[in-house]
Amino acid sequence: MFRFRAYILGLLAVLTVAMGFLASNLRMDTGFEKMLPIGHEYIETFQKYRDDFAGANRIIVVLENTKDKTIFTSEYLKVLKAATDDVFYIRGVSRPTLASLWTPNTRYLEITEEGINAGDVIPADFRADDASMAVVRANVLKAGIVGRMVANNLESSMISAELQDIDPDTRERLDYFRVADDLEAFRQKYEKDGISVKIVGFAKIMGDIKNGAESVVIFMAVAFALTVMMLWLYCRSWLLTFVTLSASLCSLTWQFGILHLMGYNLDPLAVLVPFLVFAIGVSHGVQQINMVSSEIANGKTKEQAARDTFTFLLVPGSIALSTCLAGFATLYLIPIGMIRELAITASIGIGLKIVSNLIMLPLLASYIAPTGDYARRVKKQMEKREKVWPYVARIAKPRNAWMMVIGCLILGAVGVYISKGLQIGDVHAGAAELRPESRYNQDTRYVVDNFDIGVNILTVIVETPEGACVDHKYMAVLDRFQWEMANVPGVQSTIGLPLLAKMVGSMWREGNLKWYFLPRNTSVLAQAVGPIPTSTMTLNTTCTVLPLLIFTKDSKAVTIKKVVAAVKDFRAKPENQLEGMQIRLAAGSIGVTAATNEVVEEQEIPMLLWVYAVVISLVFLTYREWRGSLCCVLPLILSTIIGNMFLTLAQIGLKISTLPVLAIAVGIGVDYGIYEYNRIQRYMRLGKSPFHAYEQALKDVGSATMFTGFTLAVGVSTWSFSELKFQADMGMLLTFMFMVNMIGAVTLLPALIAIIQQVFPKKYPPLTEEERAALMRSMH
């Protein structure tokens, strides 16, 4: 490597320029399909019936008349008509699903002396006068859409439509950010003259997340500036600071260029990953410059210092980065497109760190590392730090080690107990990615408070034999199903065919409530069901699918779990199982969320076990010792438990935006442990006790380990001020995890080594003179 260093660095420079050009074309991108768990029961149901009974990817626009406090004015209805036309032409809208007071699929039904009378809620001959307004008011009440399309207080009404993931005009994947921009432009156009506009839906929340994610650049810049400052304070050399940061930035450029070549873009929910990969690079870079500085302080030339650093840290650095890579790669086990894309993105970045930080960095240092007076200054700093290490190293004495391990066991037990309260999914109402005071969450609260249907829908598909809608035994089960679901805590309302059939049946008898029931006679039941259109989403044309629409008050994990459990309990009872009838979960936004939560819960433990297995295997294969594997993995297990405890106490749910952080934290945490263990193990081969071996290891890498953990924690702590709640949550979680992992590496790991050596003493074979000389040279 060093013989051809000029050629290697030249080749890497050319690669950086080429990848930088490609990286400039990288864009933010998202898609509804990427959020769906692949192969899950609920998603298979959703995909099968999405064209007829979807509801998961819809937009809801509510126009509120804040001036007149009623929708029954000519000015309001004129604005509503124009707004409905504009929504019709928003890109990606599935036009047959568009519904508002002005669309022909919004109809009323009444029974008169002359028979059935039906028509559009707003008739074709509508005039903006008092008589027509009275007709519209009567039609709205007869249509039974108060609470569904019209607010309960009659001050606002709703426009809703489904979005297609493929733009029908371009035949390419729908650009949700452009849709969000169109919706915001729509708001600006109509929010005036006493009209307030509320907009909710997947497209809008993705747009708001993107806008908020763009501000993360500011926090990354602040974190970068803090890293530069603290790196300089540590090494007191602008040259080494520049080299370390340049190596990490180069690999980040390569990563972005490769992603563009692979056809990937950055997802707003994963925009923090590149910075984390950069931070991991800085972590390893600090270990490199720490040894380069030490070697220079011991009188070696910058080339000799770089060569020794490369030789000594190549193996532990490769192992540490490989475990990081494994941590990210195991995320691919989660069958969600966005998570798998994140796993690929992060794994590429970590793999490139082996080149940039373990090869490129020492090669650069061999050219531009400072010499002269710098060696004296470094030696002086090292002597100051060395005064502290004997006190820290006492943790590796048997008595203190036992106390430390027992204390960690108690902490772990407390963590496991508290973590039982960890929720899989959202903990708070509204969009958990945004802050409660955000405009989106305010709009969501308005819809939930003023409409019965809310914004969260679980569509349970009930498959039946043909004609089941006029068969009392099937309708009776469905009626009982609707009643039980309506009484589940967290359910706001339910809509099903039996409910509508009862309403129509009583209408045939002048609305008398005595006739509000399901007729047993097939002909009478057909009379009640016949006028109900398929646009209500409660039946299809052949009566082989009779969905039940369940509207929940929120999308909290606890609410979703209760509702889904209630559905499963109902369909499991023998009295609810009829021949040819199958109750399937589930379509709708809550159906997708429920599937995602179940996948996260199912994959959390296997994913972490795979990470631990990789750590154990790599450490064992490198050092040929089960002790090393145990000492490196136990602190990681404890940090995971403490991380779950933190999530529980901070009221942050475990979901697709937080689960990757735990894998990342494990990957970074093992870095500290491997560098520490590598030094301790080598000194123990020289015959030193665990205490003296750890004391010497602290002199070598203690400062670098503590500095790295503190620097990374300070950098990500700035994210806590982000306007996006999930970024703020991630900032707090990562800050906590970086500090926990660093403390674990400098306390629990040496304590475990001391105890294992006491309980299972091992005598290392004596070294030959050549081996001893080589080992001493590698450790100056």
Side-chain angles (χ1 to χ4, degrees), residues 229-295:
M229 181 184 71
M230 298 188 70
L231 198 55
W232 180 84
L233 288 174
Y234 178 77
C235 65
R236 297 304 175 100
S237 167
W238 284 114
L239 287 174
L240 289 180
T241 300
F242 170 77
V243 166
T244 305
L245 295 175
S246 296
S248 291
L249 289 174
C250 281
S251 64
L252 203 61
T253 303
W254 304 341
Q255 178 187 5
F256 286 162
I258 291 173
L259 288 177
H260 180 69
L261 285 175
M262 295 175 66
Y264 287 113
N265 283 306
L266 284 179
D267 192 284
L269 292 175
V271 71
L272 300 180
V273 171
F275 180 79
L276 291 176
V277 173
F278 168 77
I280 291 171
V282 172
S283 171
H284 288 268
V286 169
Q287 297 288 347
Q288 299 275 336
I289 64 168
N290 177 67
M291 186 167 177
V292 168
S293 301
S294 299
E295 296 294 305

Coordinates of all heavy atoms in Angstrom, one line a residue, residues 229-295:
M229 N -14.4 21.5 15.5 CA -13.8 22.2 16.7 C -13.3 21.2 17.7 O -12.1 21.3 18.2 CB -14.9 23.1 17.3 CG -14.4 23.9 18.5 SD -15.7 24.8 19.3 CE -16.6 23.4 20.1
M230 N -14.0 20.2 18.0 CA -13.6 19.2 19.0 C -12.5 18.3 18.5 O -11.6 17.9 19.3 CB -14.8 18.4 19.5 CG -15.9 19.2 20.1 SD -17.2 18.2 20.9 CE -16.4 17.5 22.2
L231 N -12.5 18.1 17.2 CA -11.4 17.3 16.7 C -10.1 18.0 16.8 O -9.0 17.5 17.1 CB -11.7 16.9 15.2 CG -10.9 15.8 14.6 CD1 -11.0 14.5 15.4 CD2 -11.4 15.5 13.1
W232 N -10.1 19.3 16.5 CA -8.9 20.1 16.6 C -8.5 20.2 18.1 O -7.3 20.1 18.4 CB -9.2 21.5 16.1 CG -8.0 22.4 16.2 CD1 -6.9 22.5 15.3 CD2 -7.7 23.3 17.2 NE1 -6.0 23.3 15.8 CE2 -6.4 23.9 17.0 CE3 -8.3 23.7 18.4 CZ2 -5.8 24.8 17.8 CZ3 -7.7 24.6 19.2 CH2 -6.5 25.2 18.9
L233 N -9.4 20.4 19.0 CA -9.1 20.5 20.4 C -8.4 19.2 20.9 O -7.6 19.2 21.8 CB -10.3 20.7 21.3 CG -10.9 22.1 21.2 CD1 -12.2 22.2 21.9 CD2 -9.9 23.2 21.7
Y234 N -8.8 18.1 20.2 CA -8.2 16.8 20.6 C -6.8 16.6 20.1 O -5.9 16.2 20.8 CB -9.1 15.6 20.1 CG -8.6 14.3 20.5 CD1 -8.7 13.7 21.7 CD2 -7.9 13.5 19.5 CE1 -8.1 12.5 22.1 CE2 -7.4 12.2 19.8 CZ -7.5 11.8 21.1 OH -7.0 10.5 21.4
C235 N -6.7 16.8 18.7 CA -5.3 16.5 18.1 C -4.5 17.8 18.0 O -3.3 17.6 17.7 CB -5.5 15.9 16.8 SG -6.3 16.9 15.5
R236 N -5.0 19.0 18.2 CA -4.3 20.2 18.1 C -3.5 20.3 16.8 O -2.4 20.9 16.8 CB -3.4 20.4 19.3 CG -4.1 20.4 20.6 CD -5.1 21.6 20.7 NE -5.9 21.6 21.9 CZ -5.6 22.4 22.9 NH1 -4.6 23.3 22.8 NH2 -6.4 22.4 24.0
S237 N -4.1 19.9 15.7 CA -3.5 20.0 14.4 C -4.5 20.1 13.3 O -5.4 19.3 13.2 CB -2.6 18.7 14.1 OG -2.3 18.7 12.7
W238 N -4.5 21.3 12.6 CA -5.4 21.5 11.5 C -5.2 20.5 10.4 O -6.2 20.1 9.7 CB -5.3 22.9 11.0 CG -5.9 23.9 11.9 CD1 -5.3 24.9 12.6 CD2 -7.3 24.1 12.3 NE1 -6.2 25.6 13.4 CE2 -7.4 25.1 13.2 CE3 -8.5 23.4 11.9 CZ2 -8.6 25.5 13.7 CZ3 -9.7 23.8 12.4 CH2 -9.8 24.8 13.3
L239 N -4.0 20.1 10.2 CA -3.7 19.1 9.2 C -4.4 17.8 9.4 O -5.0 17.2 8.5 CB -2.2 18.9 9.0 CG -1.4 20.1 8.4 CD1 0.1 19.8 8.5 CD2 -1.8 20.3 7.0
L240 N -4.2 17.2 10.7 CA -4.9 16.0 11.0 C -6.4 16.1 11.0 O -7.1 15.2 10.7 CB -4.3 15.4 12.3 CG -2.9 15.0 12.3 CD1 -2.5 14.5 13.7 CD2 -2.7 13.9 11.3
T241 N -6.9 17.3 11.5 CA -8.3 17.5 11.5 C -8.8 17.5 10.0 O -9.9 16.8 9.7 CB -8.6 18.9 12.1 OG1 -8.2 18.9 13.4 CG2 -10.1 19.1 12.1
F242 N -8.1 18.1 9.1 CA -8.5 18.2 7.7 C -8.5 16.8 7.1 O -9.4 16.4 6.4 CB -7.6 19.1 7.0 CG -7.7 19.1 5.5 CD1 -8.8 19.7 4.8 CD2 -6.8 18.4 4.7 CE1 -9.0 19.6 3.5 CE2 -7.0 18.3 3.3 CZ -8.0 18.9 2.7
V243 N -7.4 16.0 7.4 CA -7.3 14.7 6.8 C -8.4 13.8 7.3 O -9.0 13.0 6.5 CB -5.9 14.1 7.2 CG1 -5.9 12.6 6.9 CG2 -4.8 14.8 6.4
T244 N -8.7 13.8 8.6 CA -9.8 13.0 9.1 C -11.1 13.3 8.5 O -11.9 12.3 8.1 CB -9.8 13.1 10.7 OG1 -8.5 12.9 11.2 CG2 -10.8 12.2 11.3
L245 N -11.5 14.5 8.5 CA -12.8 14.9 7.9 C -12.8 14.7 6.4 O -13.9 14.3 5.9 CB -13.1 16.4 8.2 CG -13.2 16.7 9.7 CD1 -13.4 18.2 9.9 CD2 -14.4 16.0 10.3
S246 N -11.7 14.9 5.7 CA -11.7 14.7 4.3 C -12.0 13.2 3.9 O -12.7 12.9 3.0 CB -10.4 15.1 3.7 OG -10.2 16.5 3.9
A247 N -11.4 12.3 4.7 CA -11.6 10.9 4.4 C -13.0 10.5 4.6 O -13.6 9.8 3.8 CB -10.7 10.1 5.4
S248 N -13.7 11.0 5.7 CA -15.1 10.7 5.9 C -16.0 11.3 4.8 O -16.9 10.7 4.4 CB -15.5 11.1 7.3 OG -14.9 10.4 8.3
L249 N -15.7 12.5 4.4 CA -16.5 13.2 3.4 C -16.3 12.5 2.0 O -17.3 12.5 1.3 CB -16.1 14.7 3.3 CG -16.6 15.5 4.5 CD1 -16.0 16.9 4.4 CD2 -18.1 15.5 4.6
C250 N -15.1 12.1 1.7 CA -14.9 11.4 0.5 C -15.7 10.1 0.3 O -16.4 9.9 -0.7 CB -13.4 11.0 0.3 SG -12.3 12.4 -0.2
S251 N -15.7 9.3 1.4 CA -16.5 8.1 1.3 C -18.0 8.4 1.3 O -18.8 7.7 0.6 CB -16.3 7.2 2.6 OG -16.7 7.8 3.8
L252 N -18.4 9.5 1.9 CA -19.8 9.9 1.8 C -20.2 10.3 0.3 O -21.2 10.0 -0.2 CB -20.1 11.1 2.7 CG -21.5 11.4 3.1 CD1 -22.1 10.2 3.9 CD2 -21.6 12.6 4.0
T253 N -19.2 11.0 -0.4 CA -19.4 11.3 -1.8 C -19.5 10.1 -2.6 O -20.3 10.0 -3.5 CB -18.2 12.2 -2.2 OG1 -18.1 13.4 -1.4 CG2 -18.4 12.7 -3.7
W254 N -18.6 9.1 -2.4 CA -18.6 7.8 -3.1 C -20.0 7.2 -2.9 O -20.6 6.6 -3.8 CB -17.5 6.9 -2.7 CG -16.2 7.5 -2.7 CD1 -15.7 8.5 -3.5 CD2 -15.0 7.0 -2.0 NE1 -14.4 8.8 -3.3 CE2 -13.9 7.9 -2.4 CE3 -14.8 6.0 -1.1 CZ2 -12.7 7.7 -1.9 CZ3 -13.5 5.8 -0.6 CH2 -12.5 6.6 -1.0
Q255 N -20.5 7.2 -1.7 CA -21.7 6.5 -1.3 C -22.9 7.1 -2.1 O -23.7 6.4 -2.8 CB -22.0 6.7 0.2 CG -23.4 6.1 0.6 CD -23.7 6.4 2.1 OE1 -22.9 7.1 2.7 NE2 -24.8 5.8 2.6
F256 N -22.9 8.5 -2.2 CA -24.0 9.2 -2.9 C -23.9 8.9 -4.4 O -25.0 8.7 -5.1 CB -24.0 10.7 -2.6 CG -24.4 11.1 -1.3 CD1 -24.1 12.3 -0.7 CD2 -25.2 10.2 -0.5 CE1 -24.6 12.7 0.5 CE2 -25.7 10.6 0.8 CZ -25.3 11.8 1.3
G257 N -22.7 8.8 -4.9 CA -22.6 8.6 -6.3 C -23.0 7.2 -6.7 O -23.7 6.9 -7.7
I258 N -22.7 6.2 -5.9 CA -23.1 4.8 -6.1 C -24.6 4.7 -6.0 O -25.2 3.9 -6.8 CB -22.4 3.8 -5.1 CG1 -20.9 3.8 -5.4 CG2 -23.0 2.4 -5.2 CD1 -20.1 3.0 -4.4
L259 N -25.2 5.3 -5.0 CA -26.6 5.3 -4.9 C -27.3 5.8 -6.2 O -28.3 5.2 -6.6 CB -27.1 6.1 -3.7 CG -26.8 5.5 -2.3 CD1 -27.2 6.5 -1.2 CD2 -27.4 4.2 -2.1
H260 N -26.8 6.9 -6.7 CA -27.4 7.4 -8.0 C -27.2 6.4 -9.1 O -28.2 6.2 -9.9 CB -26.7 8.7 -8.3 CG -27.2 9.4 -9.6 ND1 -28.5 9.9 -9.7 CD2 -26.7 9.5 -10.8 CE1 -28.7 10.3 -10.9 NE2 -27.6 10.1 -11.6
L261 N -26.1 5.7 -9.2 CA -25.9 4.7 -10.2 C -26.8 3.6 -10.1 O -27.3 3.0 -11.1 CB -24.4 4.2 -10.2 CG -23.3 5.1 -10.7 CD1 -22.0 4.5 -10.5 CD2 -23.5 5.4 -12.2
M262 N -27.2 3.3 -8.8 CA -28.1 2.1 -8.6 C -29.6 2.5 -8.7 O -30.5 1.7 -8.6 CB -27.9 1.6 -7.1 CG -26.5 1.0 -7.0 SD -26.2 0.5 -5.2 CE -27.5 -0.8 -5.0
G263 N -29.8 3.8 -9.0 CA -31.2 4.3 -9.1 C -31.9 4.6 -7.8 O -33.1 4.8 -7.8
Y264 N -31.2 4.8 -6.7 CA -31.8 5.1 -5.5 C -31.7 6.6 -5.2 O -30.9 7.3 -5.8 CB -31.0 4.4 -4.3 CG -31.3 3.0 -4.2 CD1 -30.3 2.0 -4.4 CD2 -32.5 2.5 -3.8 CE1 -30.5 0.7 -4.3 CE2 -32.8 1.1 -3.7 CZ -31.7 0.2 -4.0 OH -32.0 -1.1 -3.9
N265 N -32.7 7.1 -4.4 CA -32.7 8.5 -3.9 C -32.8 8.4 -2.4 O -32.9 7.3 -1.8 CB -33.8 9.3 -4.5 CG -33.5 9.7 -6.0 OD1 -32.5 10.3 -6.2 ND2 -34.4 9.3 -6.9
L266 N -32.7 9.6 -1.8 CA -32.8 9.6 -0.3 C -34.3 9.8 0.1 O -35.0 10.6 -0.4 CB -32.0 10.8 0.2 CG -30.5 10.6 0.3 CD1 -29.8 11.9 0.8 CD2 -30.1 9.5 1.1
D267 N -34.7 8.9 1.1 CA -36.0 9.0 1.6 C -36.0 10.0 2.8 O -35.0 10.0 3.6 CB -36.5 7.7 2.1 CG -38.0 7.6 2.4 OD1 -38.3 8.2 3.5 OD2 -38.7 7.1 1.6
P268 N -37.0 10.9 2.9 CA -37.0 11.9 4.0 C -36.9 11.2 5.4 O -36.3 11.8 6.3 CB -38.4 12.6 3.9 CG -38.8 12.4 2.5 CD -38.2 11.0 2.1
L269 N -37.4 10.0 5.6 CA -37.3 9.3 6.8 C -36.0 8.7 7.1 O -35.7 8.3 8.2 CB -38.4 8.2 6.9 CG -39.9 8.7 6.9 CD1 -40.8 7.5 6.9 CD2 -40.1 9.5 8.2
A270 N -35.1 8.7 6.1 CA -33.8 8.1 6.2 C -32.7 9.1 6.0 O -31.5 8.8 5.8 CB -33.6 6.9 5.3
V271 N -33.1 10.4 6.0 CA -32.1 11.5 5.7 C -31.0 11.6 6.7 O -29.9 12.1 6.4 CB -32.8 12.8 5.5 CG1 -33.3 13.4 6.8 CG2 -32.0 13.8 4.8
L272 N -31.2 11.1 7.9 CA -30.2 11.2 8.9 C -29.1 10.1 8.8 O -28.0 10.3 9.3 CB -30.8 11.0 10.3 CG -31.9 12.0 10.7 CD1 -32.4 11.7 12.1 CD2 -31.3 13.4 10.7
V273 N -29.3 9.1 8.0 CA -28.4 8.0 7.9 C -27.0 8.4 7.3 O -26.0 8.0 7.8 CB -29.0 6.8 7.0 CG1 -27.9 5.8 6.7 CG2 -30.2 6.2 7.8
P274 N -27.0 9.2 6.2 CA -25.7 9.7 5.7 C -24.8 10.3 6.8 O -23.6 10.1 6.9 CB -26.0 10.6 4.6 CG -27.4 10.2 4.1 CD -28.1 9.7 5.4
F275 N -25.5 11.2 7.7 CA -24.7 11.8 8.7 C -24.2 10.8 9.7 O -23.0 10.9 10.2 CB -25.5 12.9 9.4 CG -24.7 13.6 10.5 CD1 -23.8 14.6 10.2 CD2 -24.9 13.2 11.9 CE1 -23.1 15.2 11.3 CE2 -24.1 13.7 12.9 CZ -23.2 14.8 12.6
L276 N -25.0 9.8 10.0 CA -24.5 8.7 10.9 C -23.3 8.0 10.4 O -22.4 7.6 11.1 CB -25.7 7.8 11.3 CG -26.8 8.4 12.1 CD1 -27.9 7.4 12.2 CD2 -26.3 8.8 13.5
V277 N -23.4 7.7 9.1 CA -22.3 7.0 8.4 C -21.0 7.9 8.5 O -19.9 7.4 8.7 CB -22.6 6.7 6.9 CG1 -21.4 6.1 6.2 CG2 -23.8 5.7 6.9
F278 N -21.2 9.2 8.3 CA -20.1 10.2 8.4 C -19.6 10.1 9.8 O -18.3 10.1 10.0 CB -20.6 11.6 8.0 CG -19.7 12.7 8.4 CD1 -18.5 12.9 7.7 CD2 -19.9 13.4 9.6 CE1 -17.6 13.9 8.0 CE2 -19.0 14.4 9.9 CZ -17.9 14.7 9.2
A279 N -20.5 10.1 10.8 CA -20.0 10.1 12.2 C -19.2 8.8 12.5 O -18.2 8.8 13.3 CB -21.2 10.2 13.1
I280 N -19.7 7.7 11.9 CA -18.9 6.4 12.1 C -17.5 6.6 11.6 O -16.5 6.1 12.1 CB -19.7 5.2 11.5 CG1 -21.0 5.0 12.3 CG2 -18.8 4.0 11.5 CD1 -21.9 4.0 11.6
G281 N -17.4 7.2 10.4 CA -16.1 7.5 9.8 C -15.2 8.3 10.7 O -14.0 8.0 10.8
V282 N -15.8 9.4 11.3 CA -15.0 10.2 12.2 C -14.6 9.4 13.4 O -13.4 9.5 13.9 CB -15.9 11.4 12.7 CG1 -15.2 12.2 13.8 CG2 -16.2 12.3 11.5
S283 N -15.5 8.5 13.9 CA -15.1 7.6 15.0 C -13.8 6.8 14.8 O -12.9 6.8 15.6 CB -16.3 6.7 15.4 OG -15.9 5.7 16.3
H284 N -13.8 6.2 13.6 CA -12.6 5.4 13.2 C -11.5 6.3 12.9 O -10.3 6.0 13.1 CB -13.0 4.5 12.0 CG -13.8 3.4 12.4 ND1 -13.3 2.1 12.8 CD2 -15.2 3.3 12.5 CE1 -14.4 1.3 13.1 NE2 -15.5 2.0 12.9
G285 N -11.7 7.5 12.3 CA -10.7 8.4 12.0 C -9.9 8.9 13.3 O -8.7 9.1 13.3
V286 N -10.7 9.1 14.4 CA -10.1 9.5 15.6 C -9.1 8.5 16.1 O -8.0 8.8 16.6 CB -11.1 9.8 16.7 CG1 -10.5 10.0 18.0 CG2 -11.9 11.1 16.3
Q287 N -9.5 7.2 16.0 CA -8.5 6.1 16.4 C -7.3 6.2 15.6 O -6.2 5.9 16.1 CB -9.2 4.8 16.2 CG -10.5 4.5 17.1 CD -10.1 4.3 18.6 OE1 -9.0 4.1 18.9 NE2 -11.1 4.4 19.4
Q288 N -7.4 6.5 14.3 CA -6.2 6.5 13.4 C -5.3 7.7 13.8 O -4.1 7.5 14.0 CB -6.7 6.7 11.9 CG -7.5 5.6 11.4 CD -6.7 4.4 10.9 OE1 -5.6 4.6 10.5 NE2 -7.3 3.2 10.9
I289 N -5.9 8.9 13.9 CA -5.0 10.0 14.2 C -4.5 10.0 15.6 O -3.4 10.5 15.9 CB -5.7 11.4 14.0 CG1 -6.9 11.5 14.9 CG2 -6.2 11.5 12.5 CD1 -7.5 13.0 14.9
N290 N -5.2 9.3 16.5 CA -4.7 9.1 17.9 C -3.4 8.3 17.9 O -2.4 8.7 18.5 CB -5.8 8.4 18.7 CG -5.3 8.1 20.1 OD1 -5.1 9.0 20.9 ND2 -5.1 6.8 20.4
M291 N -3.4 7.3 17.1 CA -2.1 6.5 17.0 C -1.0 7.2 16.2 O 0.1 7.1 16.6 CB -2.4 5.1 16.4 CG -1.2 4.2 16.5 SD -1.6 2.4 16.1 CE 0.0 1.7 16.2
V292 N -1.4 7.8 15.1 CA -0.4 8.6 14.4 C 0.3 9.6 15.3 O 1.5 9.8 15.3 CB -1.1 9.3 13.2 CG1 -0.1 10.3 12.5 CG2 -1.5 8.3 12.1
S293 N -0.6 10.4 16.1 CA 0.0 11.4 17.0 C 0.9 10.7 18.0 O 2.0 11.3 18.3 CB -1.2 12.1 17.7 OG -2.0 12.7 16.7
S294 N 0.5 9.6 18.6 CA 1.3 8.9 19.6 C 2.6 8.5 19.0 O 3.7 8.6 19.6 CB 0.5 7.7 20.1 OG -0.7 8.1 20.7
E295 N 2.6 7.9 17.8 CA 3.8 7.5 17.2 C 4.8 8.6 16.9 O 6.0 8.5 17.1 CB 3.5 6.7 15.8 CG 2.7 5.5 16.0 CD 3.5 4.4 16.7 OE1 4.6 4.0 16.3 OE2 3.0 3.9 17.7

